[in-house]
Each structure stands twice: as C-alpha cells, then as structure tokens.
Amino acid sequence: MDRPITTPPKHGSAAKFSQDFGIRSLLTVDTEEEFDWEKPFQKEGHGLGHVAKLARFQEFCEGLGVCPVYLIDWPIATSTEAQAVLAGPLAAGKAEVGIQLHPWVNPPFDEEVTAHNSYAGNLPHELERKKFLNLRDTICANFNVEPQIYRAGRYGLGPSSGEMLKEAGVAVDSSVRANFDYRAAGGRDYSGFPLEPYWVDDAKQLLELPLTTVYFGILRKQGRTLYPLLSKVPQLTGLASKLGLLERISLTPEGVTADEALRGIDIAIDDGLPLLVLSFHSPSIVPGNTPYVHNADDLDSLYDWWTRIYSYLDMRGVRPTTVKEVLNSVEK
C-alpha cells in the first residue's frame, strides 16, 4: 500500500531522469492575491493590483530564457486580467500554469476561516477535494490548459492529498518544502523529507518536486539534527550562520540574499540534485505587498537577484526546464 503523501518516501523512491537531462532548474511562482500576511485570514478584502505587472516579469523571464510555472489560486484563476496577461505566453510555450489552493478564498466555503483551516490538508478530505476540483476545472476553462503540477498553499498537504491529485490526473506535486517544519502553526513537518525528486506512489503516477532548501557550513551534514535545536533560540541560528557553522538556504529571493543563494546552488550541485526548484510569491513584484519588497529599490534588488542567480546557474551548466520537460525526461 502506498504511503500518504505527508510521510517521507520509501527507500528507493528517488526519480531518475534521462542522461541528457543533466541538472536543471525550475522556476515556480506562487501566483496569488495580495493580503496582509500579519492579519488573520479572510475570504474577502484581498487585492489583485500586481497582476498587470506579471507582463513585465514574464518578459524579464523570457529574456533570461526561463519558462516560469505560475501556480495560480482562485482569485487569479478567476481574474480576466490574469487570463489576458498569460494567454500569449501560454500559447507560445513560454510559460506554464499549475494549481495552488488557498482554501480561505476558494469555494465552496463550508468551513470556518481559521489559521488551522488555511492548510487545505487539514480540512475534511471531501471538502479539500471539492475546493481543489473547483479550482482545477476553473483553470482549465479560463486558461485553456490542463495543469499538471500542484502546490498546496502554505505547503499544507493532507494525508489524502496524493490520492486526490492522482484521481484528477495531476502528475506532479511541489508542496514539500524540505528541511522545514510547520507544525507549530498547524502545518506539516517536512524536515525529514528528501531534496531530490521522488515518486510518491509505487505505480509512479505522482512525482514530487520538493522546493530546494539546503544546509551550508562546517556543520551542514548535521543540519537536520542541529538546525531545529538552534531555531528554538533564533539568535543562535544567526550566530551559527555568521560563524560559518550552519545556515539554512532556500532558493528564493524572499529573505535570502543572492550571495546566500549562490552558496546554496553550489551545495545543491555538489550533492548531485538533478533539479533545483526555485520559488517566490507573485505579489512581491509590486512594493508593499509582501514583507520582502517595501520600495522601488527592493524591487530592483529582486530583479537583480534573478539576474545573478540565472547567470550563475548558466555558468555552472544548470539549464532552466519546464514541468512538461520534467515529465518527458523522468524514467518510469
């Protein structure tokens, strides 16, 4: 019997790719509404002012030779402006669309809006499934695509999420944020999950692409044991990083400097990861929407971050890829 998607995979589940795949990178964009990250979740009151700026970001990606996958949630899926902005790139094969479920803004609204219920996997399975299928069908109708990749908002998988995806014919999940533990806020613990892509099920119908987060420093081999202990006293993680002992690096421009990300890329390559999964939140492309971009200078730094990262990836021989290419290259 297959394990639930919320438990680490069995030994030998690592996915293998065709020889010419090499090492690739995948850019995932959590494409979502604007809301105050410090306030309680609510069904209404969100904004979509940044959607028009996706055109600039898409043009920027095309200039880098990168095909982003936009993981869109309900407010984006029902936005005519988002449909207009992405129609051309999708038709030209210069962008992809996937599914991201934010249950608090996604009908049907049969649950109380709480922090616990903001993780879709915490909902009763049938409600999680109804919300997911509603979103999937809406994306198919409005964007004229059949999305093949899913990310649970807030990385909130549930024990039945894997079966839900397989039943819907979605071949890829990218909800696992390896080396992170969200249990304190009501979420899942991914601290013991692998970084490399792996098969969720024995039949190899569902492929997991974990977001890339590595440990760097003298003690990085002990990172999975030491970092959770250090994080109980936040000052200790900062001290360990400054001393070059241990730091946790995610491949995102949100809260991670370019220099840190470059170190993370080196570790990921040295560890033999076949795929580096990068991510960020779409509202960050307009100042004031997220804690990471407050002004025009921060926005310039965001774009500079991507330029530096992709220049370095190219120098290291890591080429951008797509979900379609991943599925065509993985061996079953």
Side-chain angles (χ1 to χ4, degrees), residues 21-89:
F21 189 74
I23 302 177
R24 302 292 184 97
S25 66
L26 181 69
L27 173 54
T28 62
V29 184
D30 288 359
T31 313
E32 59 193 41
E33 73 284 0
E34 303 143 14
F35 60 96
D36 191 331
W37 291 19
E38 301 299 323
K39 292 183 178 180
F41 297 98
Q42 54 186 19
K43 298 176 187 176
E44 301 173 345
H46 54 263
L48 292 174
H50 77 283
V51 169
K53 300 298 183 182
L54 286 174
R56 178 198 173 191
F57 179 75
Q58 175 63 35
E59 184 178 354
F60 173 77
C61 288
E62 291 177 18
L64 294 175
V66 175
C67 177
V69 53
Y70 296 98
L71 301 166
I72 66 178
D73 71 352
W74 183 265
I76 300 293
T78 54
S79 164
T80 55
E81 187 169 25
Q83 296 161 33
V85 168
L86 295 180

Side-chain angles (χ1 to χ4, degrees), residues 24 53 64 69 71 74 146 222 229-230 249 251 257 267 281-282 292 298-299 311 327 329:
R24 302 292 184 97
K53 300 298 183 182
L64 294 175
V69 53
L71 301 166
W74 183 265
E146 293 188 9
Q222 291 78 41
L229 298 175
L230 294 174
I249 302 173
L251 297 189
T257 68
I267 292 297
H281 298 83
S282 66
Y292 309 108
D298 289 345
L299 183 60
S311 175
L327 289 173
S329 300

Side-chain angles (χ1 to χ4, degrees), residues 31-299:
T31 313
E32 59 193 41
E33 73 284 0
E34 303 143 14
F35 60 96
D36 191 331
W37 291 19
E38 301 299 323
K39 292 183 178 180
F41 297 98
Q42 54 186 19
K43 298 176 187 176
E44 301 173 345
H46 54 263
L48 292 174
H50 77 283
V51 169
K53 300 298 183 182
L54 286 174
R56 178 198 173 191
F57 179 75
Q58 175 63 35
E59 184 178 354
F60 173 77
C61 288
E62 291 177 18
L64 294 175
V66 175
C67 177
V69 53
Y70 296 98
L71 301 166
I72 66 178
D73 71 352
W74 183 265
I76 300 293
T78 54
S79 164
T80 55
E81 187 169 25
Q83 296 161 33
V85 168
L86 295 180
L90 288 172
K94 295 181 179 179
E96 293 179 311
V97 158
I99 307 165
Q100 184 196 186
L101 178 55
H102 278 187
W104 62 94
V105 292
N106 197 121
F109 299 113
D110 295 336
E111 82 283 8
E112 182 182 358
V113 177
T114 64
H116 179 269
N117 288 340
S118 68
Y119 299 98
N122 287 344
L123 299 174
H125 172 57
E126 190 55 31
L127 180 56
E128 177 193 18
R129 180 176 176 274
K130 285 180 179 179
K131 286 178 179 284
F132 168 79
L133 291 177
N134 199 8
L135 176 57
R136 191 278 310 268
D137 292 346
T138 299
I139 292 172
C140 289
N142 291 348
F143 290 83
N144 194 32
V145 297
E146 293 188 9
Q148 288 296 298
I149 183 171
Y150 172 71
R151 176 169 295 155
R154 310 194 74 208
Y155 319 107
L157 289 172
S160 300
S161 300
E163 290 304 315
M164 175 186 76
L165 295 176
K166 288 166 62 177
E167 290 171 6
V170 175
V172 179
D173 179 67
S174 187
S175 305
V176 170
R177 199 177 190 199
N179 290 330
F180 277 81
D181 183 354
Y182 293 102
R183 285 177 296 179
R188 297 292 170 183
D189 178 14
Y190 299 117
S191 57
F193 282 66
L195 285 172
E196 69 271 11
Y198 62 86
W199 293 107
V200 174
D201 58 328
D202 292 337
K204 297 184 177 180
Q205 293 178 319
L206 183 59
L207 180 67
E208 180 65 45
L209 304 181
L211 288 89
T212 303
T213 298
V214 301
Y215 288 115
F216 179 87
I218 297 172
L219 300 176
R220 77 177 194 89
K221 294 294 186 182
Q222 291 78 41
R224 290 196 163 183
T225 300
L226 293 178
Y227 196 89
L229 298 175
L230 294 174
S231 63
K232 294 180 179 179
V233 182
Q235 295 88 339
L236 292 181
T237 58
L239 180 61
S241 176
K242 288 180 180 179
L243 295 175
L245 298 175
L246 183 66
E247 63 179 313
R248 186 177 63 182
I249 302 173
S250 298
L251 297 189
T252 174
E254 297 174 327
V256 178
T257 68
D259 287 339
E260 290 167 344
L262 296 180
R263 293 198 294 270
I265 288 169
D266 284 338
I267 292 297
I269 293 173
D270 290 348
D271 284 351
L273 292 184
L275 183 69
L276 281 58
V277 180
L278 295 79
S279 68
F280 86 116
H281 298 83
S282 66
S284 286
I285 63 175
V286 169
N289 286 333
T290 70
Y292 309 108
V293 179
H294 297 285
N295 51 48
D297 289 341
D298 289 345
L299 183 60

